[in-house]
Every structure is written in structure tokens, then in C-alpha cells.
Amino acid sequence: MLASCRQGESGPIIVSAIGTAPVLANPNRTALDAPSAMLTSAVAQGMVRFDAAGQIEPALAQSWTVTDDGTSYIFRIARTTWPNGSTVTAEQVAVRLRAAASRASRNRLKPVMGAIAEIVAMTDTVIEIRLRSPRPNFLQLLAQPEMGIIRAGQGTGPFTAEAGPEGALILRPRPADEAEDRAEAPEIQLRGEPAALAVARFRAGGAGLVTGGTAAGLPIARVSGAPAAALRFDPAAGLFGLAIASRTGLVADADVRGALSMALDRDALVGALAVPNLAPRTSLLPTGVEEQPTPALPAWAGDPLPARRAAARAILAGRIDGDDPPKLRVRMPDGPGARLIFAYLRRDWRAVGVDAEQVGPADRADLVFLDEVAPASLASWYLRHFTCQASMVCSAEADAALETARNARSFGERRDALASADRLLTDAVPFIPLAAPVRWSLVSPRLTGFQPNPFAIHFIGSLVAPRR
């Protein structure tokens, strides 16, 4: 079946996004997996979006200005309509933006939207978003699929969606919005499916793009026989490691959590993943975040692995009762890549006298694997994962520092408060970092507009570069 629908240089572009069937869901209520995020970006645009390289470009907002103090973003909405023909108004858009940051919202961006003080429709076409303090990368948040404007289950494009063959959705440019560079845009067929099926479809010539790949499914892509040049990696930043999932047992002790972290041979793990430019990480924050370019490091970060393991064994020896090694229950995602990662973790912890067991998604766990791409270059996004409201392990002092940062009136005051929160959380060890998230795609030569980018978001309107 797959071999019968080979992808050529003409006809529809068939996209397989790894996940479940794409649906246009309310992101304030439902988390978006890769297929639904791609659909949402296409048919329910936000104020702005990412271009192929991850830079901000206009979407529903045709232009914007930022006040000199960085606390006010003023957007002019493009003249556009809802699918029923009625005009999109600034107040309608403002209502949806307010809902994303509301108390009842379960939007994944809500923890970093506390900077918003007010959203005001100034006229029928102008919206102002007022912030409590400056956020240099605020537009990156607005470009995320979770900030798509959905009203009554519908969006404003720039694409429309209808049922297609074999469970796919057919995406086409909206006629009223069809820009010159999309005048000859090919039809897109989007489907969501498991990694193995998506990769098999690509290998058989039945798809031009597989996207949404993670470390868990990477071995499937590697052994598929697809051309080496087709496998592309996004230079993503985010959280990739183990969050503490219990307040009792072995992980209840901060020194033990630190010992578990220092025992890991991250160089070996990263080498086994063999992802270009992937580096091991011992800090909660990555290096180079604009608000906090130099992250806090644990005291042992510069020590060689043998010394770290000797220290870890000494710490753990004082917490072990009896002759049997203590057990860690670790919740991992499905997939051969996840099994590979767990094998390295288990090996390293055995070297310091701890046994690890992989458990299922519904089972009680001491540690849970966390794999999330950062939506913006904001130190607060990383740190707010580990507030006392969000995490099993936290620091009340770090929470207070984060609130100081949120309300800071100057960049220097915000930077200092974030640095304090980073140090306090590093000492508390609510998270065992390993590296950066791994995001991969399989890309056919036809997709001349595809570019890896830091947000691992690939807008379907940018897959094919416009003709010059």
C-alpha cells in the first residue's frame, strides 16, 4: 500500500507527524501533540508565527510596535474573516488571548504568561498587550501553536482543512488569504501516526516529510534505510532529563538526588545517541539563555567521573539499609530510544550501588523522564517547571525569587532574581539534566523550504521555498 503512493516532485505533499490523529483542539484545555500542533498552526494562526528558520513573521497581526521600555506590544490585526464570513475583530482576539492566561487555563504556556498585566482591544483592529516587566522574547511565546486563535472551533487560516484519504487531512491555502508566494502552493496531506509507520511510509516513498521525532523513536529512523541526508535534526533547547516524582523514599534526600546525578556518564549517553552538536548538560538552564547566559552548576560539575562516582557511593552508603541495593522506579516513554537511554542510566546507577527499574505510565515512580522543547529563550520557562505548585521538589526561596523576577522593573533586577532562583533550585536538585531535547525529521529533496530551527516547529506554508 505504501509503495503505491510514491512522493514525486509534483502533486500533494504528504506529511506524517508522529503522534495521534490531528485535531483542532482548544489548547487551553488539551495538550497538543505534534500532529495537532501542526494543524493548529496551519488553520488557526496566532498573532505571529515562526518562519522556516525560527524567526518571527506576521500572521494574524500584520504589524506591531514595542514601546521603548519593552512593556507594551501593540498589534494591528490584518483584515481577515472567520470561516462564516464575519470580520475578525480585536476584541474577539483579545478574549482568546486572555483565556490562555486565565486561572482556568491548562495551556502549557500559562506558567510563563504571568508577565501579562492586561490585554486591551484599543480599536476594532488594534490590540495592546501590557506586561508587568520587559520580556525581550515575548513574541516567541505568541508564535507557539498553543497561542493560535480559535473561536467556536474554527480558526482564520491561513489554510483550510478537510477530510482526505486514509484518515489524512487535506490542507489548502484559504482563497481569500492566498498570497502571491502561495499561488502555486501544493496541497498538503497531514496525518498523525506512530513513528514506525511514519518512517515506513517515508521509506516506501509514501510521504515527503516525517516530523515530530524524539529521542524515543530515533533508532527507528536510523535503521529505516532512508537516505542519510534525509535525517535532519533541530537545534532545540529545553528540558531533557529526569524530574523527581516522589517526596518519599530514596529521592526524598537532596544529597541522594545529587549523588544520582553525579554518577551519570553523560558523555557516553550523548555518544550513544549520536546526534550532531548534542552536548551533555549538568545544569538546569542551558548555556546562552538571554536572561541568564551563565547557568548555575552543581559543585561537582568540574570533577572527573571516577571522583564523582566515588563521592556518590559514599553518600549513598550512608542511606542504604541492609544488603540489597535500593531500587529506583523510573517512568520512561515508549520506544527503542527510550530503552537505550534507560539502559545507560541503569548501568551508571549500578556502578554506585543503586538498581533501577523501568515502570509504565500509570505506575508509581521515583523519577519521570521529561522531554520538552522550550517555547522561548526565557530562563523563567525552565525554572517555573520546579515551583512548589508544579514540582514534587522545590524551594520556597526560589519561588519568591521568581516572583521578584516576574515583577522586576529593570532587566538587571530580573536577571539577578533569576540567578538566585537558578542557584537555589540547583542546590535543591528537583531535576537531573542529561542534554538538550532531540527532535528529528525525515525530509525529501522536494521540500526546499524546510530548515531546522531552535523551536522544532515547521509551518506547512514554508515547506517549499517560493520560486524566485
Side-chain angles (χ1 to χ4, degrees):
M1 178 189 71
L2 298 180
S4 68
C5 55
R6 300 191 67 82
Q7 278 280 274
E9 293 303 313
S10 61
I13 294 174
I14 299 176
V15 176
S16 288
I18 295 173
T20 58
V23 293
L24 185 61
N26 184 343
N28 300 333
R29 299 177 181 174
T30 305
L32 304 181
D33 64 0
S36 293
M38 186 168 253
L39 173 65
T40 301
S41 295
V43 304
Q45 63 192 334
M47 301 291 281
V48 294
R49 62 172 160 259
F50 295 117
D51 66 11
Q55 300 299 310
I56 299 296
E57 68 177 12
L60 188 56
Q62 65 182 16
S63 63
W64 58 88
T65 59
V66 184
T67 55
D68 290 342
D69 64 0
T71 62
S72 179
Y73 287 71
I74 301 170
F75 300 88
R76 182 170 295 278
I77 296 175
R79 186 179 299 276
T80 190
T81 60
W82 298 104
N84 65 6
S86 63
T87 301
V88 175
T89 68
E91 181 56 35
Q92 292 168 343
V93 175
V95 166
R96 301 316 309 152
L97 293 174
R98 293 182 199 119
S102 70
R103 184 185 299 272
S105 173
R106 294 198 295 270
N107 194 301
R108 81 175 182 104
L109 303 180
K110 180 183 173 182
V112 285
M113 295 180 68
I116 298 175
E118 194 173 12
I119 302 173
V120 179
M122 301 174 71
T123 71
D124 282 346
T125 59
V126 176
I127 290 177
E128 181 181 12
I129 300 179
R130 299 167 185 164
L131 306 182
R132 302 180 194 281
S133 58
R135 295 293 186 278
N137 298 311
F138 181 68
L139 290 176
Q140 294 173 354
L141 293 178
L142 295 184
Q144 292 291 324
E146 286 81 0
M147 297 305 292
I149 304 301
I150 300 173
R151 184 170 182 260
Q154 296 182 313
T156 65
F159 289 79
T160 62
E162 62 186 64
E166 300 177 10
L169 292 177
I170 297 175
L171 306 178
R172 298 187 179 95
R174 283 184 63 177
D177 299 332
E178 195 168 317
E180 184 176 345
D181 64 350
R182 291 199 197 121
E184 300 179 7
E187 173 186 297
I188 306 287
Q189 291 185 13
L190 172 65
R191 60 168 47 83
E193 54 192 0
L197 182 54
V199 169
R201 191 184 299 277
F202 183 90
R203 180 67 182 88
L209 174 67
V210 174
T211 191
T214 67
L218 180 56
I220 299 172
R222 289 203 188 279
V223 304
S224 68
L231 182 59
R232 311 280 291 277
F233 292 94
D234 289 297
L239 291 168
F240 185 85
L242 299 155
I244 310 304
S246 175
R247 293 189 178 95
T248 62
L250 196 63
V251 296
D253 188 317
D255 287 339
V256 169
R257 297 193 295 269
L260 294 172
S261 186
M262 72 173 74
L264 297 178
D265 186 349
R266 292 169 174 82
D267 290 311
L269 174 58
V270 166
L273 292 173
V275 174
N277 301 314
L278 185 67
R281 193 164 102 210
T282 58
S283 58
L284 196 160
L285 295 179
T287 301
V289 175
E290 184 172 337
E291 300 172 305
Q292 204 64 213
T294 304
L297 293 172
W300 49 262
D303 295 341
L305 182 62
R308 299 202 320 257
R309 284 188 172 166
R313 281 191 290 269
I315 292 169
L316 290 163
R319 274 87 171 166
I320 296 174
D321 295 325
D323 297 328
D324 294 331
K327 283 199 173 183
L328 277 178
R329 297 167 62 85
V330 185
R331 188 180 302 145
M332 299 289 294
D334 292 330
R339 291 192 290 274
L340 172 69
I341 293 169
F342 179 73
Y344 274 83
L345 297 174
R346 181 171 56 189
R347 182 203 66 177
D348 291 347
W349 286 328
R350 280 180 175 170
V352 295
V354 174
D355 195 16
E357 174 190 5
Q358 185 170 344
V359 300
D363 295 329
R364 182 184 63 80
D366 302 301
L367 301 168
V368 60
F369 190 73
L370 189 59
D371 181 7
E372 293 186 31
V373 175
S377 184
L378 289 170
S380 56
W381 178 83
Y382 295 85
L383 300 172
R384 286 191 174 279
H385 274 75
F386 307 105
T387 62
C388 293
Q389 184 176 4
S391 174
M392 287 286 185
V393 172
C394 67
S395 161
E397 293 84 358
D399 279 15
L402 285 171
E403 284 309 297
T404 298
R406 171 166 282 175
N407 296 301
R409 298 305 300 174
S410 71
F411 180 78
E413 182 184 357
R414 176 173 170 80
R415 179 195 58 215
D416 292 346
L418 290 171
S420 176
D422 185 23
R423 169 46 60 195
L424 288 162
L425 287 173
T426 296
D427 293 342
V429 200
F431 180 67
I432 299 174
L434 300 174
V438 174
R439 292 294 182 270
W440 56 267
S441 301
L442 291 172
V443 186
S444 70
R446 180 185 179 186
L447 303 187
T448 55
F450 182 96
Q451 295 184 51
N453 67 72
F455 304 102
I457 292 175
H458 303 286
F459 175 53
I460 64 168
S462 301
L463 295 180
V464 177
R467 295 177 181 178
R468 300 298 181 187

